[in-house]
Amino acid sequence: MALRGIQVLELAGLAPGPLCGMILADFGASVIVVDKVGPKLNMNFLSEGKSSMNVDLKNSKGQEFFRRMVKQSDVLIEPFRAGVMEKLNLSPETLLKDNPKLIFARLTGYGQSGPYSSKAGHDINYVSLSGLFSLFGWRNKQPTPPANFAADFAGGGLSCALGIVMALFEREKSGQGQVVDASMVEGAAYTGSWFFHSKEASFLWSQPRGQNPLDGGAFFYDTYETKDGKWMAVGAVEPQFYSAALHKLGIAEESLPQYTGFQKGHEVFAEKFRTKTQNEWCEIFNGDNECVTPVLSLEEVADHPHNKSRNSFSRLNNLVIPNPAPKLSRTPGASSALSQNSKKIRTEDFIKSLGISEEEISRLISDGVIEFKFRASKIEEYTTLSKLKQIMIAVYRRKKLGQENKMRIYNKEIYFKES
């Protein structure tokens, strides 16, 4: 794999950091998630293929232990607000002095400087500040959040992963590490550069939101409900594709010119698409030049013939997992969710490389400085759901019978205690 041999530390955070770490892991990097000690709510849905341990970074001994980990690592992914690592005595200056080759990736909403650098926020806030949010929404309606996709993932996790890979490439020449300041505001805006550069193109953006050719304003670039309550996506922008789409719909082109009567076009297309099911329309639009496709759910994508032919998705029990992209011809990635090899051994090997004795490790554990145990991913928890249901039923029955109800069950090093 392309990143085999790269050691990554991922400080636990919400969605963007875990996606960044997942991308690196899927292409061969060894990733250890470092979380806080003590009880916590595991909201990391992207922890597959990563090792895990907990370190108390507020404790001086924990900071010292973490610095030893950094010395043996290539990359650090840090998701905290600006200034947090400095308060923990783990600033870039400190860690790069310990390890001059370190790639210190700081993934935040607003970046490491500026009046908003310490401000709290989420994807909706970062996208709003990027300018892109003003483009998302239906005609005569308020801007509509595109889920937490544009900033968290496109402008955040993916952008940060690109920055890390570029820094690793540059390190091959200079032998030096550097800081990657990945702002989700800037990442989202940069991903949307085309919108900024095309702003003066009046044929694209002269109308209010939701009334332009590429934002749902044009009837030939929109979605339409089918007879069975599903949807088809139409993107017949070029004249030849528009003509092909009209032909398959059974509409005479002279009765519906492409760039006049957008409202009439919406009504005509909506009425037509409601006459057949999604599958029936897929059979009709089976050529190469119509630009009409089904709107698939997350559960349906793996069964589509095109996606199946390219092995774009895999299944893990009832979950559909996207396979790594892009596909590299010699060193392709492999979904970490499907290769759950022994993470605990990899973490143990890494800790041994720090030169720390077993006695010292035991002392750190007993002092509450570190917690060294395998933490299951959300997918692994999901795969054991049926067994957990059986366990909870057994607990309930024992309660009903007045029996001793303290139970500790180990399964993949997950334990559940009912008392």
Side-chain angles (χ1 to χ4, degrees), residues 257-326:
Q258 185 172 11
Y259 281 96
T260 58
F262 278 11
Q263 184 56 42
K264 177 187 175 182
H266 276 290
E267 294 170 359
V268 172
F269 271 37
E271 183 178 354
K272 273 288 183 181
F273 275 101
R274 279 195 293 266
T275 63
K276 300 182 186 297
T277 66
Q278 186 187 74
N279 283 338
E280 289 173 330
W281 283 121
C282 287
E283 288 295 322
I284 292 171
F285 288 103
N286 61 354
D288 295 334
N289 293 312
E290 300 102 358
C291 299
V292 180
T293 51
V295 177
L296 303 176
S297 69
L298 300 184
E299 294 75 26
E300 295 171 325
V301 291
D303 294 323
H304 189 274
H306 175 76
N307 293 337
K308 288 179 71 173
S309 71
R310 285 185 53 82
N311 192 31
S312 302
F313 298 87
S314 295
R315 289 188 181 276
L316 184 64
N317 295 323
N318 292 324
L319 294 179
V320 174
I321 308 296
N323 288 326

Side-chain angles (χ1 to χ4, degrees), residues 7-26 29-34 44-53 77 335-347 373-377 380:
Q7 178 63 55
V8 179
L9 297 181
E10 175 195 318
L11 289 171
L14 295 178
L19 175 70
C20 181
M22 184 204 78
I23 293 170
L24 301 181
D26 281 353
S30 296
V31 181
I32 297 179
V33 179
V34 179
N44 188 352
F45 295 93
L46 299 172
S47 59
E48 302 82 28
K50 303 173 185 177
S51 304
S52 176
M53 69 177 304
I77 302 171
S335 176
S336 300
L338 305 176
S339 55
Q340 293 295 329
N341 45 5
S342 178
K343 301 174 183 177
K344 186 171 182 179
I345 293 176
R346 289 198 315 202
T347 307
K373 62 181 180 181
F374 173 73
R375 184 184 65 192
S377 70
E380 287 171 315

Side-chain angles (χ1 to χ4, degrees), residues 2 33 39 45 56 59 76 97 113 122 125 134 150 164 181 185 189 215 245 272 320 350 365 400 408 410 413 415:
V33 179
F45 295 93
D56 184 1
N59 183 302
L76 170 63
K97 186 177 180 181
S113 60
H122 287 290
N125 308 114
S134 65
I164 289 169
D181 182 357
V185 171
D215 62 3
K272 273 288 183 181
V320 174
F350 179 76
I365 292 174
K400 292 277 285 185
R408 184 168 296 199
Y410 287 87
E413 304 231 18
Y415 68 84

Side-chain angles (χ1 to χ4, degrees), residues 150-283:
D152 276 359
F153 301 121
L158 184 60
S159 177
C160 187
L162 174 62
I164 289 169
V165 172
M166 288 192 293
L168 286 170
F169 179 75
E170 192 280 335
R171 192 180 71 174
E172 291 297 308
K173 304 173 185 178
S174 67
Q176 299 180 31
Q178 59 181 304
V179 176
V180 177
D181 182 357
S183 155
M184 287 181 243
V185 171
E186 295 162 359
Y190 190 60
T191 303
S193 291
W194 184 84
F195 298 105
F196 290 88
H197 287 271
S198 65
K199 183 177 180 295
E200 299 304 318
S202 59
F203 66 96
L204 288 174
W205 307 114
S206 61
Q207 300 301 313
R209 178 178 54 252
Q211 299 179 41
N212 297 285
L214 298 180
D215 62 3
F219 65 93
F220 50 80
Y221 199 87
D222 206 349
T223 57
Y224 294 94
E225 189 173 10
T226 58
K227 186 177 181 179
D228 54 347
K230 296 186 177 183
W231 298 84
M232 296 295 289
V234 179
V237 177
E238 292 82 359
Q240 67 272 26
F241 300 148
Y242 179 70
S243 296
L246 287 187
H247 176 71
K248 291 294 181 74
L249 286 168
I251 299 173
E253 192 166 352
E254 58 270 17
S255 70
L256 195 62
Q258 185 172 11
Y259 281 96
T260 58
F262 278 11
Q263 184 56 42
K264 177 187 175 182
H266 276 290
E267 294 170 359
V268 172
F269 271 37
E271 183 178 354
K272 273 288 183 181
F273 275 101
R274 279 195 293 266
T275 63
K276 300 182 186 297
T277 66
Q278 186 187 74
N279 283 338
E280 289 173 330
W281 283 121
C282 287
E283 288 295 322

